[in-house]
Amino acid sequence: MRQYNQTKRILVTGGAGFLGSHLCERLVSQGHDVLCLDNFFTGSRRNVEHLLDSPRFELMRHDVTFPLYVEVDEIYNLACPASPIHYQYDPVQTTKTSVHGAINMLGLAKRVRAKILQASTSEVYGDPEVHPQPESYWGRVNPIGPRSCYDEGKRCAETLFFDYYRQHRLRIKVVRIFNTYGPRMHPNDGRVVSNFIVQALNGEDITIYGNGSQTRSFCYVDDLIEAMDRTMNTPDDFTGPVNIGNPGEFSMLELAEQVIALTGSRSKLRHLPLPTDDPKQRCPDSSLAKAALGGWEPQVPLAEGLKRTIEYFDALLARER
């Protein structure tokens, strides 16, 4: 690894996506040289166009299922569709992105002796029997269901990361991301926050799956990126996995009510059947993150984060009208 100055060359795969674009923005602002990699399946050039004039930012179209030969100091591996609509569109490719992508990025990290972080997911816990979910919980995942391409792909990627750590002494970090929301979410990704906001702004019925009692925790994107950055900069003997999310827990009905109130919408609730293998509860035990990441805790309350996200979608929908 280069030692001649403090500026690092950092690769972000999936860098034009929702989370990746915010991460690229942060790293550029810190003075690092950022190589943003994306195949634009769910990512968008628009998410990073404000960075294109920076001499510290480079955008490359590439699919992580193919090998990559570049020189970098650190790698953030975020490449993979993360919403059911997108990852179920081509489930075989979703698994390839998680597994082949991990193999290719780990191989690159091994060759150039880079530190590498894997963006894993709370989906590795499946429909949990333990609540809230600590990192020690092995999960309850259906290996052959419609969500398995994502759930098991991410679980296999974690396996690969820890095998490279044990076998090759690679410097790894693994974060398990819980529901995150904020500006630059894809408006049609089918995730609950974007769904509710877009439906409310358009005056459409808000679709609730099941009776709405199922719960999620919602972490604003700025808090997530802060935790991810801190994780990459922990001592080498800290590998994770570490849960990154907001321990505040809300039902789908509570979320819908907040969105309707904040948008001033007259939308009504419409209940639909619960999707296969949809978890009834999802909430992180975030005690390890607080202990290992310098006292990290989410700072943005749900109401404030929703206001910022609503403003983003309101402007986006206005441009498209």
Side-chain angles (χ1 to χ4, degrees):
M1 191 169 82
R2 300 176 302 167
Q3 300 292 334
Y4 47 83
N5 61 35
Q6 295 302 308
T7 298
K8 292 177 284 192
R9 181 161 168 78
I10 302 176
L11 169 64
V12 180
T13 73
F18 163 46
L19 296 181
S21 62
H22 285 276
L23 177 61
C24 287
E25 191 174 67
R26 180 184 179 93
L27 295 173
V28 168
S29 73
Q30 292 174 343
H32 300 301
D33 294 329
V34 176
L35 174 57
C36 170
L37 204 75
D38 210 293
N39 69 350
F40 300 113
F41 175 58
T42 57
S44 170
R45 182 183 176 89
R46 182 172 58 195
N47 287 339
V48 293
E49 63 184 0
H50 62 294
L51 298 173
L52 293 174
D53 290 335
S54 170
R56 297 200 174 279
F57 182 79
E58 180 181 354
L59 177 61
M60 179 187 294
R61 188 177 195 127
H62 184 85
D63 190 317
V64 294
T65 61
F66 297 94
L68 179 70
Y69 301 95
V70 293
E71 297 292 325
V72 293
D73 302 306
E74 292 179 353
I75 302 168
Y76 288 84
N77 187 36
L78 276 62
C80 190
S83 72
I85 285 178
H86 290 141
Y87 66 63
Q88 291 172 354
Y89 174 78
D90 188 347
V92 172
Q93 186 62 27
T94 296
T95 303
K96 285 183 177 179
T97 300
S98 286
V99 178
H100 291 188
I103 290 170
N104 287 329
M105 291 306 107
L106 287 163
L108 172 61
K110 180 186 172 189
R111 284 193 299 274
V112 300
R113 301 175 65 191
K115 182 163 49 173
I116 181 169
L117 180 146
Q118 167 68 6
S120 190
T121 172
S122 61
E123 299 294 338
V124 301
Y125 298 120
D127 190 2
E129 300 163 301
V130 174
H131 189 78
Q133 293 83 58
E135 291 84 355
S136 58
Y137 177 53
W138 289 356
R140 178 173 173 262
V141 177
N142 177 1
I144 59 171
R147 301 170 67 103
S148 305
C149 58
Y150 184 69
D151 302 1
E152 296 288 36
K154 288 288 192 178
R155 285 165 69 94
C156 185
E158 287 197 18
T159 300
L160 286 161
F161 265 68
F162 279 90
D163 282 339
Y164 266 78
Y165 168 72
R166 287 183 287 259
Q167 187 171 339
H168 301 297
R169 305 309 301 166
L170 204 63
R171 294 177 300 152
I172 69 162
K173 311 288 179 184
V174 175
V175 297
R176 290 175 176 164
I177 298 172
F178 283 68
N179 290 58
T180 305
Y181 70 101
R184 300 186 204 143
M185 292 184 80
H186 196 293
N188 301 313
D189 67 3
R191 285 189 269 196
V192 64
V193 172
S194 52
N195 255 12
F196 285 5
I197 290 175
V198 170
Q199 289 169 338
L201 290 174
N202 286 332
E204 301 167 354
D205 288 347
I206 289 181
T207 52
I208 302 270
Y209 294 97
N211 62 13
S213 64
Q214 65 271 35
T215 64
R216 298 291 185 270
S217 64
F218 299 102
C219 185
Y220 189 67
V221 61
D222 290 359
D223 289 327
L224 184 282
I225 297 303
E226 172 70 26
M228 194 178 287
D229 186 15
R230 291 193 190 194
T231 303
M232 181 62 98
N233 291 288
T234 52
D236 288 349
D237 60 356
F238 180 77
T239 60
V242 57
N243 290 336
I244 304 298
N246 193 322
E249 192 174 0
F250 297 87
S251 72
M252 297 301 95
L253 285 174
E254 289 173 319
L255 177 66
E257 288 166 0
Q258 283 213 40
V259 168
I260 289 172
L262 290 169
T263 56
S265 175
R266 296 184 178 180
S267 295
K268 305 299 183 184
L269 302 185
R270 181 162 63 100
H271 291 265
L272 296 175
L274 201 63
T276 302
D277 298 331
D278 190 59
K280 298 175 187 65
Q281 291 181 305
R282 182 62 60 70
C283 183
D285 179 334
S286 57
S287 54
L288 177 60
K290 185 174 182 180
L293 306 181
W296 175 85
E297 289 183 295
Q299 299 299 307
V300 181
L302 181 61
E304 176 59 30
L306 287 175
K307 286 179 187 176
R308 299 179 195 177
T309 310
I310 289 166
E311 289 173 3
Y312 168 78
F313 278 113
D314 198 21
L316 181 68
L317 293 173
R319 287 199 301 267
E320 294 177 351
R321 289 189 184 108

